[in-house]
Amino acid sequence: NASAKKFMSAFQLQPVLVPFYALFLSVIAGGLLMLAAGVNPIDAYWALLRGMFGSADRIAGSVARSVPYVGSALALTFAARAGLFNIGAEGQMLIGGVAAGWVGTWAFLADAPGVLLISAIVLAGIIGGGFWGFIPGVLRVTTGAHEVITTIMLNSIALFLTRWLVNSRDPVVLRDITNTAPSTRPIPDAGRLPELVDSNPPLHWGVFLMIAAAVLVWFVFKRTTLGFEMTTVGTNPLAANYAGIGVSKILVIAMTVSGALAGLAAASEVSGTNGVFQPGAFLAIGFDGIAIALLARGNPIAILPASLLWGAMLSGAPLMQAETGASIDIVRVIQALVLLFVAADAIVRQIFRLKGEATGLGVSTTGWSS
C-alpha cells in the first residue's frame, strides 16, 4: 500500500543503510568463499556468532578486543574532518605505547598512588602519539609534503625505532632482560587500569576512556568553533582561508589531536591489557581503523558499534575455525570486503536502488588529493 511504500522510500534514503548493506554483501561473498572451500557457511557463521557473543565472557572479550580499534578509527576520523588522510595511526600508537610503557616503569613513580601513575601513563601515550601526529602536520603546512606519504614513512620509522628500543640487548634501552619475549619492564599493579571482567583479552576501564574519547570528538565536531573550522577547512580550504580561518593551524591541530587519540588507545592497551609494551601489539590496527571509520561514515559515535563488530569478529574467528575448519583468514576477507563495499558505496546504492550520493567520511576529500 501507499504508506508501506512511503516507509520503504524513507528507509532507503537513510545513509546509515549503506554500511549495513555493505556488511550484508560481504557476508554473502564470504559464504560463497566458504562453499568453494568445502565449508558449510551456516555452520561457520553460527560458530562465529557464538564465538563473538555466545557467553558473558565472550561478550566481554569482544568488547575488550574492540577498544584499540576505537582509538585508531577516531584518529582517522578526526584528521579526515579537516580533509587530511592520516594513515599513520599504527606508528602513532607505537610511539604512544612505548612512551606509556617507559613512563610506567619510572622508579620515582613506583610507589605513587594508582590514580597518579595511571594518569602519567595515559598522558605519556597521548603526548607520544600526538607528537608523532604533529610531525606530518607541520611537514604538510611548511613543505607541502602530503600526509599520506609522511605518515607511511613515519609508520616504518616508529616500527623499527620501537623494535630497537625494546629488542636491544647491547645496549639495553627499555628491554626487560628477565623476559624471553621482547618487551618493556612490567608496569606496577598500581599503574594498571582496573579490570572489569577476567575475559580473554581482559575487559578493563580503557573501554570507558574510548567511549569518553568518542563523545568528546563528537562534541568537538558538533558544538565547538574548532569543529566548525575543521569542517570548513576540510570542505574548502581556499574559502576557509578567505573567511579568516588559519588553515595551517587547523591542519596541524587536526593531525596532532589525531595522533593523540591513537596514543590514548595505545596507553589503554599497555596499562589495561598487556601491562607491558611489545612492538607487535598494534600490528594492522592502524589500517583496520580506516575500514572502521569508513563503516561508521565518519560519525564518532557510530565508531563504537563498528569497532565492536570488528573486534568481535576477530574474537569469534578461532571458534569458527575449531568447529568447522574454516580458516581464520575468511574473517579478514569479509572485513576487507566491507571496506571495499563501503568505500565504493556507489556499487551498493546501485544494487539496492538507494538514492543519494556517496559521502565517504562525511567531509570533502579535496585536501586528500591536493
Side-chain angles (χ1 to χ4, degrees):
N1 57 28
S3 60
K5 287 182 179 179
K6 284 180 69 175
F7 173 78
M8 286 306 297
S9 177
F11 190 65
Q12 289 178 334
L13 286 171
Q14 299 302 314
V16 73
L17 276 187
V18 173
F20 285 104
Y21 282 138
L23 179 61
F24 173 74
L25 289 174
S26 303
V27 169
I28 295 297
L32 294 175
L33 181 62
M34 292 179 195
L35 283 174
V39 176
N40 185 324
I42 296 177
D43 292 341
Y45 281 133
W46 178 238
L48 178 64
L49 281 172
R50 286 188 290 111
M52 292 162 65
F53 306 117
S55 67
D57 282 349
R58 289 192 180 277
I59 293 172
S62 294
V63 174
R65 189 75 178 266
S66 72
V67 168
Y69 293 111
V70 176
S72 174
L74 285 175
L76 181 84
T77 299
F78 199 91
R81 180 64 60 153
L84 297 167
F85 195 17
N86 177 21
I87 59 173
E90 184 172 331
Q92 292 147 18
M93 292 181 79
L94 285 168
I95 297 300
V98 76
W102 174 51
V103 170
T105 58
W106 282 357
F108 78 90
L109 288 175
D111 297 323
V115 173
L116 178 60
L117 183 53
I118 291 173
S119 298
I121 292 169
V122 170
L123 183 61
I126 291 172
I127 293 173
F131 172 71
W132 217 244
F134 172 79
I135 295 173
V138 170
L139 290 175
R140 171 64 186 268
V141 301
T142 57
T143 69
H146 202 283
E147 68 279 358
V148 169
I149 304 301
T150 54
T151 51
I152 288 175
M153 296 173 66
L154 285 166
N155 279 347
S156 296
I157 294 171
L159 177 61
F160 290 112
L161 175 61
T162 53
R163 279 182 179 176
W164 176 75
L165 289 172
V166 175
N167 292 356
S168 176
R169 288 183 175 274
D170 186 20
V172 174
V173 185
L174 295 179
R175 179 167 185 151
D176 178 10
I177 58 175
T178 65
N179 190 357
T180 54
S183 70
T184 59
R185 288 178 287 120
I187 292 171
D189 290 342
R192 301 293 300 273
L193 285 168
E195 190 175 280
L196 298 171
V197 180
D198 185 18
S199 54
N200 183 26
L203 179 60
H204 51 77
W205 279 38
V207 66
F208 299 127
L209 288 177
M210 290 298 100
I211 292 173
V215 173
L216 180 60
V217 171
W218 174 87
F219 180 81
V220 169
F221 285 174
K222 298 294 185 181
R223 297 287 186 269
T224 68
T225 303
L226 174 61
F228 172 77
E229 291 179 343
M230 288 175 61
T231 303
T232 305
V233 170
T235 303
N236 192 328
L238 294 178
N241 186 62
Y242 183 77
I245 296 173
V247 174
S248 296
K249 180 187 72 173
I250 293 298
L251 294 179
V252 173
I253 290 174
M255 283 301 298
T256 302
V257 175
S258 177
L261 289 166
L264 172 64
S268 169
E269 287 298 284
V270 170
S271 176
T273 301
N274 303 320
V276 297
F277 170 79
Q278 296 173 306
F282 306 118
L283 182 65
I285 289 180
F287 290 99
D288 283 342
I290 298 173
I292 294 167
L294 283 169
L295 185 61
R297 306 188 73 77
N299 185 323
I301 303 302
I303 282 174
L304 297 174
S307 298
L308 175 59
L309 172 65
W310 216 258
M313 290 175 71
L314 294 175
S315 292
L319 183 63
M320 179 185 72
Q321 183 180 47
E323 292 194 357
T324 67
S327 172
I328 290 178
D329 291 335
I330 289 178
V331 167
R332 281 295 186 183
V333 171
I334 293 171
Q335 290 177 332
L337 287 170
V338 171
L339 174 58
L340 171 66
F341 286 124
V342 174
D345 64 355
I347 299 173
V348 177
R349 292 178 184 279
Q350 175 120 17
I351 293 173
F352 293 99
R353 310 286 191 209
L354 295 177
K355 298 179 181 180
E357 298 179 355
T359 57
L361 286 174
V363 296
S364 167
T365 56
T366 301
W368 295 10
S369 57
S370 59

